[in-house]
Amino acid sequence: MEAVMDSKYAGLIRRIGTWTMILGILNLVFYILHDVIGAMNYSGYKWMEQAVSDLTAEDSPVRETAKIFTGLHGKCSIITCVLLCVMLKYIRKPLRVGIYLFTGMHAVSNVGYDLFPLSGKGYDGTFQSFMHVYVITAAVVILSIASLVVIAVGSFRDGRKKLGILALVALGCMFFGAVGSGALPKAVFGIVERFSTYSAVAFTAVLGVYWKMCFDGEKKKS
């Protein structure tokens, strides 16, 4: 990291770090807004029982409103991760590889779910539903798990214990949401399912803030 701070690109890297923090936080804010505003305007929607994806389902009465916020969330998340990839070309593997995988997950999620939205009835056997559940969701889950594991391992090996712990917390929330949504009563399905959906979104914000703080810390030392 010191080599980066001493280079002629130090100022540019710090500015990029500022934008990763801002966009990372906005990614989380817009996702929360889609959830809250969508639920408030969806008559009969029970957020404790229903999945957050119901808000953007094809037959959702708040689909267009919710998608405005998910669109903004998606753009912020992708740009945050791309900027991180630019900054972190100076960071050693496997942490850098983990960030690349995490960026790929966001790309697949944003493009895939837009192309193949699920209907409010859930899986109905159509090609669109098959792509949503068995292709896009499977790819997002695999990339999410792989990226968080690699980021955690790379963080601990690189002496970044806090980031490693946060990656494991995000991974734990993801597993809890996936397992709990099927094992726990339907009355709390929506609550448990949100542990999974929010884990990657929140961790994106964590990455943006963490690297901004890292570069600011190096600046103070220099």
Side-chain angles (χ1 to χ4, degrees):
M1 187 75 73
E2 287 80 1
V4 176
M5 291 293 99
D6 292 337
S7 75
K8 63 180 180 180
Y9 300 109
L12 175 61
I13 293 296
R14 291 195 192 100
R15 286 194 292 274
I16 293 176
T18 298
W19 279 108
T20 62
M21 179 183 69
I22 293 172
L23 292 170
I25 293 172
L26 286 176
N27 130 85
L28 177 57
V29 170
F30 285 130
Y31 194 82
I32 292 173
L33 287 174
H34 118 272
D35 193 1
V36 174
I37 294 176
M40 288 174 60
N41 290 280
Y42 192 150
S43 179
Y45 180 82
K46 299 178 181 179
W47 73 271
M48 293 178 64
E49 300 178 16
Q50 292 181 250
V52 69
S53 58
D54 286 357
L55 297 171
T56 53
E58 279 194 317
D59 54 359
S60 167
V62 296
R63 173 179 166 82
E64 296 306 317
T65 300
K67 281 192 69 65
I68 291 174
F69 293 108
T70 55
L72 291 170
H73 143 72
K75 289 178 176 61
C76 288
S77 64
I78 287 291
I79 296 172
T80 298
C81 290
V82 170
L83 291 178
L84 283 171
C85 290
V86 172
M87 286 201 306
L88 302 187
K89 68 177 183 178
Y90 300 98
I91 304 302
R92 291 176 295 181
K93 296 180 181 179
L95 179 54
R96 180 158 41 95
V97 174
I99 301 297
Y100 291 159
L101 289 172
F102 196 71
T103 303
M105 178 276 294
H106 272 300
V108 171
S109 176
N110 278 278
V111 176
Y113 288 132
D114 272 349
L115 291 175
F116 304 102
L118 195 63
S119 73
K121 298 177 182 178
Y123 183 77
D124 57 10
T126 63
F127 175 74
Q128 180 170 307
S129 291
F130 176 83
M131 291 296 295
H132 182 101
V133 175
Y134 293 107
V135 178
I136 306 303
T137 298
V140 168
V141 170
I142 292 170
L143 286 170
S144 296
I145 294 172
S147 62
L148 289 172
V149 169
V150 175
I151 288 172
V153 171
S155 296
F156 285 119
R157 288 180 60 179
D158 207 30
R160 304 180 186 279
K161 185 178 179 180
K162 291 181 180 178
L163 183 60
I165 292 173
L166 290 170
L168 291 178
V169 169
L171 185 62
C173 288
M174 194 174 292
F175 275 115
F176 174 72
V179 176
S181 59
L184 296 175
K186 292 184 178 179
V188 294
F189 173 84
I191 297 175
V192 178
E193 187 255 0
R194 280 167 170 78
F195 275 85
S196 286
T197 57
Y198 273 89
S199 58
V201 178
F203 190 68
T204 303
V206 166
L207 286 174
V209 174
Y210 176 84
W211 289 108
K212 167 63 176 172
M213 293 175 64
C214 281
F215 284 114
D216 283 351
E218 291 298 330
K219 181 179 178 181
K220 291 178 181 179
K221 290 178 185 179
S222 59

